[in-house]
Each structure stands twice: as C-alpha cells, then as structure tokens.
Amino acid sequence: RSASSRRATARALAVRERMAAVDRRHGCSLLRFTLLAQALAVVRSVSLRRGQSFLANVDYQLELKNILGIQYHGTFGAGDQELPVIYDTGSFEIVLLSKLCGDICVKGKTVYDANLSSSFVASEDVMRITYESGSATSKKGFDSVSIGGKDSPYTVKKMPLWQVVEHQIPVWNRAKFSGIIGLGHPKYMPEGFRHPPANGTVPEQLLLPAMGIDMFSICLERGLLKPGWMAMGPKVQALAKHPGFTSVPVVGEVHWGLRMSEVEAEGLNVSNPCPTGCGAIVDSGTSFIAVPPSAKPLTDAIEKKLKMDCSNLHELPVLRIQLDGAVVELPPMAYIIKISGYCHTAFMEMDSMSQFGPVWILGMPFLRYHYTVFDRKNMQIHFARSTPACEPILDTAGVGGNSSFAAVGQGLFSRRVFAPEDYEPMEADRNEELPAARLEDLRLLTTTSVAAAATPRPLGALPRVRGARARAL
C-alpha cells in the first residue's frame, strides 16, 4: 500500500480506538455515532483512492438528458474525460466511441481519447459487440470510470472498456451519445457474449458489481424534452420495500428478463399474443416497444384506428400487460409519438425467441409511466406508477385507486382512471429539429445485447426479420 493509504488507515484505527474509549468512560451514544461517521468517511476516502467499491449506500442521482424523446444521455467519467452516454439495462460492456474510429464516428461528437487519460492501460484484445441495432468492432483497454462526472462517488479504477474502432449502427452516426454503458445484472460477462479470457483467467466483473451497486432506479419524465433520472443508494433501497411497489422476479439469467403471460387492449378484437407465454426485457436503451410477430394483429389494429393528425387518441385503448402476476397499464401517450405534427405508433417488430417464448422489449415508453428499481441482490424488478415528474405513486388504495398495479385476481380490465394528458401523444419535437422521414431510422435504436446480430424492423415499413432466433433471457 502507498504511504497515504497507510496514513488513512491509521487515522481510521485511531477513530475506532477513540470510540472504544468513549464507550468505556461515558457510554455516550451520540458522540460514538459522530465518531463512527468520521471513521466511515475515512474508509470511503481510502476506498475511492484504491478503486474499491465501498459506496453502495451513498445516495446519488444522475440526470439523463432527453434528445427528441428517443435517446436519453447521462454523463460518464472515463479517465480524465466526461462523455454523454446511454445507461443501458439491456447490455453489459462499457463501449465508447473513440479516436481509433474513423471520421464518421467522431464528427461532431465528444469521443474517448486514451491519450488524454493518465490512468489508461492498453490491451491488444479486439471484439465485435452486437446489439439489436447493429454491431461494433472495439479494442479493449482499462481506465478509471465513474457513473456521472469525475467527482461522482461511484468510481472504480482499472475497469475494462471497449474503444470503438468501427461500427455498423446507422443511428449512431447521427446520434449525440458517445457511449453505451451496460447495466446488466450478471457479475461477469455471460457466456456467448464475452471475449475469451486470456490463458484461462477469470473474466472481469461488470460495472455494477465492480462498484458494489446492488440496486438502482431509472424513471423518465413525461413531456416535451423532459429529462430522465437514474438513482442509487439508501433512498432507492427504501423505496423498493414500500408497499406501493410491486416486485416481479427476474427470470433472465442474462438480461433483466421477466415472464409475460398476457397483453390485452380493451375494445380491440384481437387474440392474446402470448397464449403460451412470452419473455420481456426491461431495457432503458430501447426507444420504443419491441414486439414479436405474434403481436402484429394487435399493433395493426391500433395503427388502423389511429388518425395521423392525432385527433382521436381518446379512442385508443389502454394496453394491459401481465408480468408474472402483476398487470401494468400503458395509456396511449406511452405508445403514440408525435413527430413533425404527425402521430405514429411507438412499436417495432423483433423476431426473437427465448426459453419463455417470443421476446418483447419494454423500452423507454414503459419507463415513462413506471418508477423502476432494478435489484441485483434479490433478482427482482420493483415497479410503481410514476407522476409526470417521475415521483413514484405510493398510495396503496387498490384497483381503481392509485395503486401501482392491478391485481390479476380482480380482472384484467379493472380500469384505472388516467388523466386527459395521458390520451395525448408523446411529443418528440415541435417541428424544428426532426424531419418526419427520419422516423424509420429512429425506430431502430435498441441497445439490447445479443449473441448474434439481428435488426428490428419498423412495423409497416420494412420486411420483418425472417426466422425466429433462439436467445436466452
């Protein structure tokens, strides 16, 4: 250990001795508490300098900037740089656009430059990383990283990261984010996704376990260009235990995957797209809701009913999705997006099978209506309905009141009353920034990691992917 670390440890031991002396002489619990806090502060300081993760109980909240309602960027520290990134529950690695990539990668963007980092360690490993939206060839390195800016309490040293050398993700050429930060729940990279460790060495930990983060939340505000929020620490842990939240078991060994058994829309004469069950991935990096081919009758019925001038959203149904014993509800604002004055559905088709059935991806539309806590320790996802400002609604009045979920036993159509604004479209722009012709490209942004490439297709615009791909949740 360094001399500074030895001195800090000695200070912590001295504080502990003073606490013991206080107990022996006075039994003063208040003074003991104060001294304990001092000791914890010293240990936290030492842990940060060593790159350890003693910070799992520090409250921290990170703002996610809204880009046209289809991308949310937060700050990420890498070495001595701060980059705008997508915090992505659908993937695993730290993947950063870098100076190693060509002009099309770096033009107009802030990208990672290993030469600007005093803590970078090089590696010769190269890997192709595949997302639903495309793939990226990347070169491995190690650096100090932080969730949030360089002054964030959530920092770890010598974390593996991947510098993009080239990519085939079309939307990334126009997007404003410079990296994808995987927030998958496994401790190590899952089989089928990882680069083979050299000489049989143990693979490196992923970001969440490396930082000691067992629980974090993501919620997106509703409204034109309103931000989202990622939070962690004791407040989030306490919220997840509140009876206003419903807890659903994570059954995915790889992803934040849940069992889905039923999807219905009142007033539409379509069959359940999950008659024998489906799998659902809750993914903060996917712009829309990805649905399997079995859901096409449902989405076609909604598209047929929708008027493009947005005048009849009050006639559209509330979607009710049954997730392992809980029913979540999504009103039209969750699945209708208004771009350049015209309304479109926020669905895209993805033909992929899991051990639980056809795969759905519950992306950003879901997170706008649910304060969602991802719990690695207990392998659960905790949900509560959220206000437009991303406050969890914690009243437990039951179905028909303000409870987070409808109980299955009380009927799938036990209607909750939504506000008038929930029957308005989610606006991506005000006609200034985004031509309507770009909608089809924007539908392709989904950062869920896959072991083999496949591109989700916009419903009604491009041919669907033929042949279901098997994948583990």
Side-chain angles (χ1 to χ4, degrees):
R1 294 182 300 177
S2 67
S4 61
S5 294
R6 290 195 296 271
R7 287 194 295 271
T9 303
R11 291 198 300 272
L13 292 173
V15 172
R16 188 175 68 179
E17 289 300 319
R18 290 176 63 196
M19 287 193 295
V22 167
D23 280 348
R24 289 194 298 269
R25 296 175 187 173
H26 306 291
C28 180
S29 59
L30 178 61
L31 182 56
R32 177 180 172 82
F33 179 82
T34 302
L35 293 173
L36 177 61
Q38 293 175 1
L40 288 174
V42 169
V43 175
R44 285 186 178 124
S45 175
V46 173
S47 297
L48 259 182
R49 287 196 295 272
R50 293 178 184 174
Q52 297 174 355
S53 303
F54 191 79
L55 299 175
N57 284 323
V58 175
D59 283 322
Y60 186 69
Q61 182 171 263
L62 176 65
E63 181 175 351
L64 307 176
K65 184 180 179 182
N66 182 345
I67 307 297
L68 300 175
I70 47 84
Q71 298 167 15
Y72 288 81
H73 309 163
T75 302
F76 182 74
D80 301 312
Q81 302 162 74
E82 293 185 350
L83 304 169
V85 302
I86 291 176
Y87 283 94
D88 177 30
T89 59
S91 63
F92 315 103
E93 307 93 341
I94 299 172
V95 181
L96 304 175
L97 289 180
S98 75
K99 284 289 187 179
L100 302 179
C101 199
D103 291 342
I104 194 170
C105 291
V106 304
K107 186 177 180 180
K109 297 184 179 68
T110 302
V111 301
Y112 177 73
D113 186 349
N115 294 324
L116 299 179
S117 175
S118 58
S119 51
F120 176 76
V121 178
S123 169
E124 294 304 314
D125 289 343
V126 176
M127 180 171 69
R128 178 172 291 277
I129 299 169
T130 302
Y131 303 99
E132 291 286 358
S133 288
S135 62
T137 301
S138 306
K139 187 173 183 181
K140 190 177 184 180
F142 300 86
D143 211 336
S144 298
V145 302
S146 59
I147 292 178
K150 291 176 287 187
D151 58 348
S152 166
Y154 285 90
T155 301
V156 65
K157 291 184 176 179
K158 204 175 180 182
M159 189 70 194
L161 55 80
W162 295 89
Q163 307 165 82
V164 174
V165 177
E166 63 174 356
H167 71 81
Q168 291 78 43
I169 305 176
V171 69
W172 210 346
N173 294 331
R174 299 180 301 275
K176 298 182 180 180
F177 64 94
S178 299
I180 300 170
I181 309 304
L183 299 177
H185 64 71
K187 186 173 183 179
Y188 303 107
M189 185 72 68
E191 292 289 345
F193 294 82
R194 71 176 61 161
H195 186 283
N199 300 321
T201 57
V202 177
E204 297 93 350
Q205 284 187 328
L206 298 181
L207 182 64
L208 295 178
M211 289 188 170
I213 299 173
D214 287 332
M215 197 178 296
F216 65 96
S217 68
I218 294 180
C219 183
L220 307 179
E221 292 189 25
R222 300 195 289 275
L224 180 66
L225 304 184
K226 293 291 186 180
W229 303 93
M230 177 178 171
M232 56 211 78
K235 291 182 180 178
V236 171
Q237 296 162 15
L239 273 177
K241 298 177 182 178
H242 192 282
F245 276 79
T246 294
S247 300
V248 179
V250 173
V251 296
E253 297 178 3
V254 175
H255 292 289
W256 292 102
L258 311 174
R259 288 189 181 93
M260 176 187 289
S261 59
E262 193 164 10
V263 182
E264 294 195 37
E266 190 172 16
L268 297 183
N269 186 23
V270 294
S271 60
N272 174 24
C274 299
T276 59
C278 290
I281 298 171
V282 183
D283 180 13
S284 62
T286 294
S287 301
F288 289 176
I289 298 173
V291 303
S294 61
K296 197 172 190 303
L298 172 64
T299 56
D300 281 352
I302 293 174
E303 288 189 345
K304 184 177 180 180
K305 196 175 183 70
L306 172 66
K307 293 182 179 179
M308 291 193 69
D309 65 1
C310 311
S311 63
N312 71 330
L313 267 66
H314 62 284
E315 299 175 355
L316 299 184
V318 172
L319 297 182
R320 292 177 175 84
I321 302 172
Q322 190 173 137
L323 297 173
D324 217 329
V327 175
V328 300
E329 297 184 316
L330 297 176
M333 188 184 192
Y335 63 84
I336 301 295
I337 185 170
K338 185 177 182 180
I339 297 179
S340 298
Y342 295 95
C343 275
H344 310 265
T345 59
F347 299 111
M348 57 188 181
E349 187 176 320
M350 180 185 68
D351 193 350
S352 187
M353 288 293 293
S354 74
Q355 67 269 44
F356 302 105
V359 176
W360 292 59
I361 297 180
L362 302 179
M364 298 169 192
F366 180 84
L367 297 171
R368 290 191 190 99
Y369 272 87
H370 298 90
Y371 190 103
T372 305
V373 178
F374 299 82
D375 183 349
R376 294 182 58 251
K377 183 176 181 181
N378 299 301
M379 287 300 288
Q380 293 179 321
I381 293 182
H382 313 279
F383 302 106
R385 271 200 314 137
S386 61
T387 68
C390 255
E391 294 294 329
I393 298 173
L394 299 178
D395 185 63
T396 56
V399 175
N402 291 323
S403 64
S404 299
F405 292 90
V408 172
Q410 292 173 290
L412 192 57
F413 290 124
S414 298
R415 176 176 291 279
R416 179 178 296 113
V417 177
F418 283 94
E421 55 265 29
D422 296 315
Y423 290 85
E424 298 175 359
M426 196 281 291
E427 288 193 83
D429 67 341
R430 283 275 170 82
N431 299 323
E432 303 98 351
E433 300 185 57
L434 187 68
R438 300 291 283 279
L439 171 66
E440 304 308 338
D441 293 327
L442 296 177
R443 287 179 187 261
L444 300 181
L445 178 60
T446 174
T447 53
T448 307
S449 282
V450 295
T455 304
R457 306 290 184 174
L459 285 173
L462 297 174
R464 70 179 179 88
V465 179
R466 297 190 178 276
R469 293 182 300 106
R471 68 182 294 167
L473 282 189

